[in-house]
Amino acid sequence: DQWKSRDFTLDIYGSGPDDVALCERIERYGLKERVRMAGFERDIRKIWADHHVLLMPSRSEGTPISLIEAQICARPAVVTDVDGNGEWVKDGQTGFVAKEASVEAISDALERMWSRRDQLRAIGEAARQAWLAKRDPDPEGTLLALMLEQSRQ
């Protein structure tokens, strides 16, 4: 496998009921030098100060806050094309999209990311700009205007 010779690390943030199973798999596959359970971190700036890409190989997803946080911090993402992810990540422009949640599709997206690793900073900045373009600078005002409009109908 080509990943065995590549210089990378994977930090898994958050915690949940599968933590023990994940730790056991990391140990079983001899990945302790590359994969780390990082737990919960409240300050996203600490995460993105030292990390370059968000990996979200989800089977289902809404619009994940971690994806938005990565984009705010100008980091590209590798995501599966489930639910809202394709609306936030444009393949090759603001990140990389796996066509489905399968080993083959995610591997393909990771390969495309790796082949453009020298461009990750620019892709991350494009992700940030795309987020800024979608951002509502006055969400309360927008909600109020919608409510007023509905009350007049």
Side-chain angles (χ1 to χ4, degrees), residues 61-80:
E61 199 68 70
T63 298
I65 190 71
S66 56
L67 175 57
I68 305 306
E69 291 170 345
Q71 290 182 328
I72 289 169
C73 294
R75 297 300 189 267
V78 176
V79 300
T80 47

Side-chain angles (χ1 to χ4, degrees), residues 26-135:
I26 291 167
E27 181 75 34
R28 181 178 335 130
Y29 291 111
L31 297 171
K32 285 179 72 173
E33 298 298 315
R34 295 195 182 225
V35 180
R36 179 177 72 106
M37 297 296 291
F40 178 76
E41 175 56 59
R42 187 173 308 279
D43 186 350
I44 64 169
R45 294 168 297 187
K46 286 182 182 178
I47 295 171
W48 294 113
D50 297 324
H51 295 83
H52 306 287
V53 178
L54 172 68
L55 173 60
M56 291 193 63
S58 307
R59 290 191 176 128
S60 81
E61 199 68 70
T63 298
I65 190 71
S66 56
L67 175 57
I68 305 306
E69 291 170 345
Q71 290 182 328
I72 289 169
C73 294
R75 297 300 189 267
V78 176
V79 300
T80 47
D81 191 13
V82 295
D83 301 326
N85 286 347
E87 296 171 26
W88 288 93
V89 179
K90 299 302 175 205
D91 192 54
Q93 298 172 27
T94 62
F96 303 88
V97 180
K99 300 287 183 209
E100 60 186 30
S102 69
V103 171
E104 296 80 15
I106 294 165
S107 179
D108 176 66
L110 285 169
E111 282 303 311
R112 288 185 282 116
M113 179 275 300
W114 187 260
S115 72
R116 296 184 58 198
R117 64 190 178 280
D118 60 326
Q119 299 169 27
L120 291 178
R121 186 171 297 227
I123 295 168
E125 186 54 40
R128 178 174 161 66
Q129 293 305 316
W131 173 80
L132 285 169
K134 288 182 181 183
R135 179 181 150 268

